[in-house]
Amino acid sequence: MTRLLMFLIAVFAASTAHANETRWLLQTSVFTSHHNPKPEHNNDQKLVSLEYARQDDWVVGGASFLNSFSQRSAYVFTGRYFDFGPGPVFAKVTGGLMHGYRGEYRDKIPLNHLGVAPAIIPAVGVRGQHVSSELSFLGAAAVMITTGLQF
């Protein structure tokens, strides 16, 4: 946890990326915590996400991850960034389709009757010139911290 805190401080100290720039973000998960942990819950999502943000802060992307029950899953999304003034802090909301909750865990996400479910994921984060970190709110189930490289 100390390394994560030092990383976040470094992101704050870095000069911020300019708003209104086109950018790619490649990120991974570094910490996950379930609100009501159960023995079968996985807190190591092995997330890999790639997203493209347009100049107007609209974003599209996709992610591959292990869900809470260690099943390989995917999320394709679109959304938008919201900057809080000229500083490095931002909010982001994405919405899309999630696939991968199967078998006995099929009903662990709402509306997953066909094996694909809609999802909305809000996040807050900090952005430096080439790095970014986000705290994502995964419904009523968990929170996840991600970090990544912007290019």
Side-chain angles (χ1 to χ4, degrees):
M1 195 62 147
T2 302
R3 286 186 291 183
L4 178 61
L5 182 58
M6 291 177 69
F7 174 78
L8 292 174
I9 291 169
V11 170
F12 272 113
S15 56
T16 60
H18 298 276
N20 302 323
E21 282 187 358
T22 301
R23 62 191 177 277
W24 288 90
L25 175 62
L26 178 65
Q27 58 184 349
T28 188
S29 55
V30 294
F31 176 81
T32 302
S33 177
H34 285 83
H35 302 309
N36 296 308
K38 296 188 174 34
E40 68 266 23
H41 280 164
N42 165 39
N43 282 324
D44 185 10
Q45 273 51 62
K46 297 185 181 352
L47 175 127
V48 176
S49 174
L50 181 64
E51 66 182 46
Y52 173 74
R54 299 183 338 179
Q55 290 180 340
D56 59 3
D57 284 332
W58 283 94
V59 62
V60 295
S64 175
F65 61 97
L66 293 179
N67 66 29
S68 296
F69 307 99
S70 298
Q71 297 172 318
R72 181 55 58 190
S73 299
Y75 176 53
V76 292
F77 58 88
T78 187
R80 190 161 193 290
Y81 280 94
F82 301 92
D83 288 319
F84 295 117
V89 179
F90 63 89
K92 181 173 80 174
V93 176
T94 63
L97 297 175
M98 194 172 294
H99 169 73
Y101 286 76
R102 298 174 300 281
E104 64 183 292
Y105 304 113
R106 184 178 187 157
D107 295 327
K108 294 293 182 176
I109 57 174
L111 305 173
N112 191 31
H113 305 295
L114 300 174
V116 176
I120 296 174
I121 300 178
V124 294
V126 292
R127 176 186 313 136
Q129 187 66 29
H130 298 289
V131 293
S132 171
S133 186
E134 297 176 12
L135 173 64
S136 299
F137 302 94
L138 308 175
V143 295
M144 177 172 54
I145 297 175
T146 61
T147 188
L149 297 174
Q150 296 181 141
F151 50 98

